[in-house]
């Protein structure tokens, strides 16, 4: 069984907090954390939206990923909730336009998008069919995300794609775009 934690710095990385548990459930009108948190959490990945932070977490047993929110820059966290999509080995990025992308393994190598700060997620788009994938997503220019991910074996070349985030979906960036 696993739990997920965050550590935070308020001085540019000179010092760090103690571990802060991400899943903080409670009974009605009880303080956060009065119930033991989920034991199904591993590999958290997050983005900041001002002082709000949203984190997507890889499950061990759940069929879908987990998600947690903090409204105070990660000092305290709300209870975990399940997302609407499955995934493992995820990377998360927030674009200049505010879209949040989660690139992940399962099914195949997919990207799910939220356009409302992580409250709702699309059905996802499969962008590749590698045997194995663990990657990183980074915005390289406004609304263009570079997704890099491992190949089937460590001795094989790294796989990569440029993805353009549009109003309605994502599209591969083609040569000359």
């Amino acid at each position: 069984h696993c739990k997920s934690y965050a550590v935070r710095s308020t001085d540019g990385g000179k010092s760090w907090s103690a571990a802060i548990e991400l899943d903080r459930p409670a009974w009605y009108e009880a303080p956060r954390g009065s119930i033991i948190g989920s034991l199904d959490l591993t590999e958290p990945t997050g983005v900041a939206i001002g002082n709000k932070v949203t984190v997507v977490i890889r499950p061990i047993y759940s069929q879908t990923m987990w998600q947690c929110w903090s409204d105070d820059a990660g000092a305290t966290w709300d209870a975990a909730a399940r997302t609407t999509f499955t995934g493992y080995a995820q990377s998360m990025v927030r674009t200049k336009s505010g879209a949040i992308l989660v690139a992940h393994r399962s099914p195949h190598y997919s990207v799910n998008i939220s356009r409302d700060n992580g409250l709702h997620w699309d059905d996802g788009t499969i962008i590749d069919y590698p045997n194995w994938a663990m990657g990183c997503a980074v915005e390289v220019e406004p609304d263009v995300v570079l997704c890099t991910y491992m190949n089937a074996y460590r001795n094989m070349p790294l796989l990569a794609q440029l993805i353009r985030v549009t109003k309605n979906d994502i599209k591969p960036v083609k040569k000359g775009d």
Side-chain angles (χ1 to χ4, degrees), residues 117-130:
N117 296 329
L119 295 177
H120 300 92
W121 295 94
D122 74 356
D123 292 334
T125 303
I126 295 172
I127 64 169
D128 203 350
Y129 297 87

Side-chain angles (χ1 to χ4, degrees), residues 46-66:
V47 294
I49 309 154
N51 279 333
K52 186 177 195 95
V53 180
T54 186
V55 173
V56 174
I57 306 164
R58 175 198 185 275
I60 298 170
Y61 306 107
S62 173
Q63 290 184 0
T64 62
M65 297 185 84
W66 292 93

Side-chain angles (χ1 to χ4, degrees), residues 20-129:
I20 303 164
E21 189 173 347
L22 292 182
D23 185 18
R24 305 287 292 157
W27 292 106
Y28 176 70
E29 293 186 346
R32 285 272 149 232
S34 59
I35 299 174
I36 188 169
S38 176
L39 300 175
D40 187 35
L41 309 179
T42 184
E43 299 176 10
T45 308
V47 294
I49 309 154
N51 279 333
K52 186 177 195 95
V53 180
T54 186
V55 173
V56 174
I57 306 164
R58 175 198 185 275
I60 298 170
Y61 306 107
S62 173
Q63 290 184 0
T64 62
M65 297 185 84
W66 292 93
Q67 187 171 3
C68 294
W69 290 269
S70 170
D71 290 320
D72 56 10
T76 60
W77 293 85
D78 206 345
R82 288 189 172 135
T83 66
T84 55
F85 59 93
T86 183
Y88 303 95
Q90 74 279 359
S91 179
M92 195 172 185
V93 64
R94 185 170 184 260
T95 66
K96 187 172 182 176
S97 69
I100 298 173
L101 282 71
V102 178
H104 54 87
R105 179 175 72 233
S106 183
H108 306 290
Y109 200 67
S110 300
V111 175
N112 287 82
I113 302 174
S114 172
R115 298 178 190 284
D116 59 4
N117 296 329
L119 295 177
H120 300 92
W121 295 94
D122 74 356
D123 292 334
T125 303
I126 295 172
I127 64 169
D128 203 350
Y129 297 87

Side-chain angles (χ1 to χ4, degrees), residues 136-140 144-148 160-163:
C136 184
V138 63
E139 186 176 36
V140 293
V144 175
V145 173
L146 173 64
C147 287
T148 61
Q161 290 192 48
L162 284 172
I163 297 169

